[in-house]
């Protein structure tokens, strides 16, 4: 029965809510294998055996928010705080460009010091120096005017996970001043402005149920994001959710495969969280339909401080300087690095 649903999802790219639920609840090993293979084949039909690389620069670990799952939440006094200077960020981009990267992802907490003037000047400078590169921002919620100014300055993509489609669960995971409605409004705004937009969620965060995951799938189906980032929840000991168990590898891979079949053209990373959960995580993600990896270009001395969760993989294949190791790892499962900037194409 679940096999029939999986085959239909592959053909039609959509299922009814109760069918998604059944697939998530009752997927046997045979269907799981079929879904992952179908997802990998779907990605291969679009992207060949190339895996896009994006150079990740974690620009700072200061954040005004207090999300309950996050190691750099404002109330974690033990978190080490840093903020890269624009010059250091430009140095990271220069290094990345030399290594072959054609997408830079600037990611960081919501730090008011990154005001619109500072940030647009930085984006404009990256655009000026490396005009053939895509610039992706992952800097949380900002005003409409700010998103517009950054787009005009040359940013092309924006990642903003919706975190959960369930407003109650969103409220349980976030401080009172954060609002689910505003998060969705930000995503709509980003789309309207013209960004290639990414969203997604953690798998296994406390309070999440199969029902809320079905809502997540339906929301993603409705939003039609160009990029989809999902990874397992990983606890951080200095947060209120520090004792909760990590998300399941199997469920993460199952969702990844479903999302690939739902959105064949989407850019879907094998996330660092997946690689942190399991040494096989990156490969398994790619073999479940992922087609992007995001090696870390941040200065090595700062990487450990950007600890949204503990034991984060930031070296080896997760590091920009580890591209040769990444190339070998991808080759072991029949893939290769694709250095193109890899924009979304319908
Ligand atoms: S998840 Fe993002 S917004 Fe929330 S505390 Fe962490 S860095 Fe800040």
């Amino acid at each position: 029965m679940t096999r029939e649903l999986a085959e239909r999802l592959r053909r039609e790219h959509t299922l009814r809510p109760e069918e998604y639920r059944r697939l998530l609840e009752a997927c046997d090993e045979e269907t799981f294998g079929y879904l992952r293979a179908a997802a990998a084949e779907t990605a291969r039909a679009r992207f060949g055996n190339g895996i896009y690389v994006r150079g990740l620069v974690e620009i700072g670990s200061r954040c005004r928010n207090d999300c309950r799952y996050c190691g750099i939440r404002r109330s974690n006094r033990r978190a080490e705080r840093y903020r890269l200077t624009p010059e250091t960020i430009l140095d990271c981009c220069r290094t990345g460009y030399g290594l072959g990267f054609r997408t830079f992802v600037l990611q960081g907490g919501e730090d008011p010091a990154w005001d619109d003037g500072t940030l647009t000047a930085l984006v404009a400078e990256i655009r000026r120096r490396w005009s053939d590169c895509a610039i992706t921002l992952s800097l949380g919620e900002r005003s409409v005017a700010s998103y517009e100014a950054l787009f005009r300055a040359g940013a092309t993509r924006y990642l903003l996970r919706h975190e959960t489609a369930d407003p109650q669960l969103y409220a349980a995971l976030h401080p009172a001043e954060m609002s689910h409605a505003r998060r969705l409004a930000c995503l709509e705004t980003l789309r309207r402005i013209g960004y290639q937009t990414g969203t997604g969620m953690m798998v296994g965060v406390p309070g999440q149920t199969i029902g809320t995951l079905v809502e997540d799938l339906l929301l993603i189906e409705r939003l039609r994001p160009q990029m989809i980032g999902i990874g397992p929840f990983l606890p951080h000991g200095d947060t209120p959710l520090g004792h909760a168990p990590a998300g399941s590898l199997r469920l993460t891979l199952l969702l990844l495969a479903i999302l690939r079949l739902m959105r064949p053209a989407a850019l879907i990373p094998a996330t660092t969280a997946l690689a942190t959960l399991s040494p096989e995580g990156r490969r398994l993600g790619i073999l479940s339909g992922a087609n992007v990896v995001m090696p870390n270009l941040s200065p090595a001395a700062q990487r450990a401080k950007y600890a949204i969760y503990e034991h984060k993989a930031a070296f080896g294949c997760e590091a920009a300087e580890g591209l040769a190791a990444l190339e070998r790892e991808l080759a072991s499962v029949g893939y290769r690095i694709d250095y193109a900037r890899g924009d979304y194409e319908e």
Side-chain angles (χ1 to χ4, degrees):
M1 175 59 184
T2 54
R3 169 67 181 245
E4 188 271 324
L5 292 177
E7 288 174 3
R8 190 143 50 78
L9 177 62
R10 180 183 199 167
R11 274 195 319 274
E12 299 175 6
H13 313 299
T14 186
L15 291 175
R16 288 193 291 273
E18 64 274 17
E19 293 172 331
Y20 281 128
R21 172 182 277 277
R22 182 156 171 74
L23 208 47
L24 291 176
E25 275 176 349
C27 184
D28 55 37
E29 283 313 297
E30 194 241 316
T31 304
F32 182 52
Y34 170 82
L35 272 169
R36 292 184 54 222
E41 281 167 29
T42 299
R44 248 183 131 105
R46 281 261 168 185
F47 306 103
N49 70 342
I51 300 294
Y52 292 129
V53 284
R54 319 302 202 192
L56 177 66
V57 186
E58 292 159 339
I59 69 170
S61 63
R62 294 172 201 273
C63 187
R64 64 181 173 182
N65 286 333
D66 216 21
C67 307
R68 288 168 62 79
Y69 47 81
C70 178
I72 61 170
R73 65 200 301 265
R74 66 166 185 257
S75 59
N76 180 11
R77 301 249 143 69
R78 288 158 57 99
E80 289 189 68
R81 306 295 175 177
Y82 72 92
R83 183 184 302 123
L84 299 185
T85 63
E87 292 69 34
T88 303
I89 296 167
L90 291 167
D91 281 346
C92 294
C93 294
R94 182 181 307 111
T95 302
Y97 194 87
L99 290 167
F101 289 93
R102 292 297 177 267
T103 292
F104 303 124
V105 182
L106 308 190
Q107 186 167 72
E110 292 190 17
D111 176 357
W114 289 109
D115 56 48
D116 291 348
T118 313
L119 206 52
T120 51
L122 173 63
V123 167
E125 188 58 20
I126 296 173
R127 169 61 55 238
R128 190 185 70 76
R129 292 195 194 182
W130 300 287
S131 58
D132 54 333
C133 290
I135 303 172
T136 304
L137 302 178
S138 177
L139 299 170
E141 296 181 11
R142 303 182 69 88
S143 68
V144 175
S146 177
Y147 287 147
E148 285 173 344
L150 290 165
F151 188 74
R152 279 196 304 275
T156 37
R157 306 179 187 149
Y158 206 103
L159 304 174
L160 184 70
R161 287 185 174 188
H162 69 277
E163 303 295 358
T164 172
D166 176 359
Q168 282 181 345
L169 178 57
Y170 190 90
L173 294 172
H174 297 94
E177 66 271 19
M178 289 180 76
S179 128
H180 188 250
R182 192 167 60 238
R183 170 89 23 158
L184 295 186
C186 285
L187 283 165
E188 296 287 352
T189 299
L190 291 163
R191 279 300 289 268
R192 179 181 55 71
I193 292 170
Y195 285 97
Q196 292 172 48
T197 305
T199 195
M201 69 282 184
M202 288 183 293
V203 179
V205 71
Q208 188 180 61
T209 62
I210 293 297
T212 60
L213 285 170
V214 171
E215 293 300 318
D216 288 322
L217 291 176
L218 297 173
L219 179 67
I220 289 172
E221 208 171 82
R222 181 169 68 76
L223 291 176
R224 302 177 58 77
Q226 288 93 353
M227 301 171 283
I228 305 169
I230 65 162
F233 164 71
L234 297 171
H236 189 296
D238 295 326
T239 68
L241 304 181
H243 297 293
S248 138
L249 178 64
R250 186 183 191 276
L251 185 56
T252 306
L253 296 175
L254 176 58
L255 283 157
L256 218 160
I258 290 172
L259 288 163
R260 168 58 67 204
L261 294 179
M262 181 195 281
R263 303 276 300 133
L267 300 156
I268 303 181
T271 54
T272 302
L274 198 52
T276 302
L277 182 67
S278 159
E280 295 292 308
R282 193 178 312 99
R283 261 176 291 191
L284 292 173
I286 289 164
L287 293 173
S288 306
N291 74 315
V292 174
V293 293
M294 294 168 62
N296 201 315
L297 268 177
S298 312
Q302 315 295 350
R303 278 180 211 168
K305 298 179 191 166
Y306 195 82
I308 288 176
Y309 47 81
E310 285 168 323
H311 312 301
K312 189 181 76 167
F315 295 94
C317 295
E318 286 295 323
E321 64 274 13
L323 285 176
L326 178 63
E327 191 75 77
R328 282 194 298 277
E329 182 178 312
L330 295 181
S332 74
V333 283
Y335 289 81
R336 63 179 174 81
I337 293 175
D338 186 338
Y339 287 96
R341 75 181 242 167
D343 285 303
Y344 176 85
E345 286 169 32
E346 213 36 92

